[in-house]
Each structure stands twice: as structure tokens, then as C-alpha cells.
């Protein structure tokens, strides 16, 4: 079970850090690849991106270092909440392909949160 959790944590961390970095630091690239970004301010998109990057780091660092490992579960819960909001957001915009990815990431984050508590 520990190996499965580490694999999922690593994949989630890579995904959130990668996607978050694009939103936070490459706004123009995010505008071309994500249709919703055009409708929101640079600050709003950067806030979401930085939140995702910090959550991705939080999935790995606390548990790997043994310093406050409960923060890994808290990061997973926080990212799950972000995915709930993202799923609602995409559903309202009728972006169903984004909705499917949000549900998958939500399930994986819940798996990590439960497994690490």
C-alpha cells in the first residue's frame, strides 16, 4: 500500500506542479492551452497556479522528510477541495472534458488523504 501511495503522490505532485507552474508563471501559454483563462484576470489565474504548486509540494515533502507528515494528508485534502471547485466550475461552463479530469484527480487526492492519515 505504501508503494501505491507514493506512486499516486508522485503523479499528483508532478501534475499539480506542472499545471500550476503554467498558470502561475506562463500566463500567455495558459491562455492558449486553457480556454477558461481568457475570461479571468492574471492575478486570479496565478493564485490558482500557486495554490496548485504548493499543494503538489505538500504531497511529497512533509511525508518524505518526516517533518510534520500530517501535512501531506492536509495537502491532499486541500487539493481535493480545489478539484471539487474546479469540477463545479467546468460543469457550469459545460467543459465536460475538464470535468472528467477533475473527478479523477479528486479521487486520487482522496486516496492519498485517506492512506496517509
Amino acid at each position: 500500500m505504501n508503494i501505491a501511495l507514493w506512486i499516486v503522490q508522485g503523479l499528483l505532485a508532478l501534475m499539480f506542479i506542472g499545471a500550476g507552474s503554467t498558470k502561475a508563471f506562463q500566463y500567455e501559454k495558459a491562455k492558449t492551452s486553457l480556454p477558461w483563462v481568457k475570461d479571468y484576470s492574471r492575478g486570479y489565474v496565478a493564485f490558482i497556479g500557486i495554490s496548485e504548486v504548493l499543494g503538489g509540494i505538500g504531497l511529497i515533502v512533509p511525508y518524505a522528510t518526516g517533518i510534520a507528515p500530517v501535512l501531506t494528508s492536509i495537502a491532499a485534502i486541500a487539493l481535493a477541495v480545489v478539484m471539487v471547485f474546479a469540477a463545479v466550475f467546468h460543469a457550469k461552463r459545460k467543459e465536460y472534458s475538464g470535468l472528467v479530469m477533475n473527478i479523477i484527480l479528486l479521487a486520487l487526492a482522496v486516496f492519498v488523504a485517506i492512506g496517509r492519515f
Side-chain angles (χ1 to χ4, degrees):
M1 184 64 141
N2 189 44
I3 293 171
L5 284 165
W6 273 116
I7 290 169
V8 172
Q9 282 173 247
L11 292 174
L12 281 174
L14 286 174
M15 198 293 305
F16 279 111
I17 291 170
S21 295
T22 301
K23 291 173 195 149
F25 307 116
Q26 300 173 347
Y27 182 74
E28 295 304 319
K29 182 178 177 184
K31 271 177 45 173
T32 60
S33 62
L34 302 167
W36 63 269
V37 172
K38 296 177 192 100
D39 299 334
Y40 294 90
S41 71
R42 174 178 242 145
Y44 180 76
V45 175
F47 172 75
I48 293 169
I50 290 169
S51 299
E52 290 178 349
V53 169
L54 292 175
I57 292 168
L59 287 172
I60 301 294
V61 174
Y63 206 83
T65 61
I67 301 170
V70 72
L71 291 177
T72 294
S73 296
I74 293 170
I77 291 168
L79 289 171
V81 169
V82 168
M83 289 299 100
V84 168
F85 288 131
V88 170
F89 175 83
H90 287 295
K92 285 182 180 179
R93 292 177 56 92
K94 296 180 179 29
E95 297 172 351
Y96 299 113
S97 63
L99 182 65
V100 171
M101 182 56 85
N102 295 142
I103 292 170
I104 292 168
L105 294 173
L106 168 66
L108 292 173
V110 168
F111 171 71
V112 170
I114 292 170
R116 290 299 183 204
F117 258 128

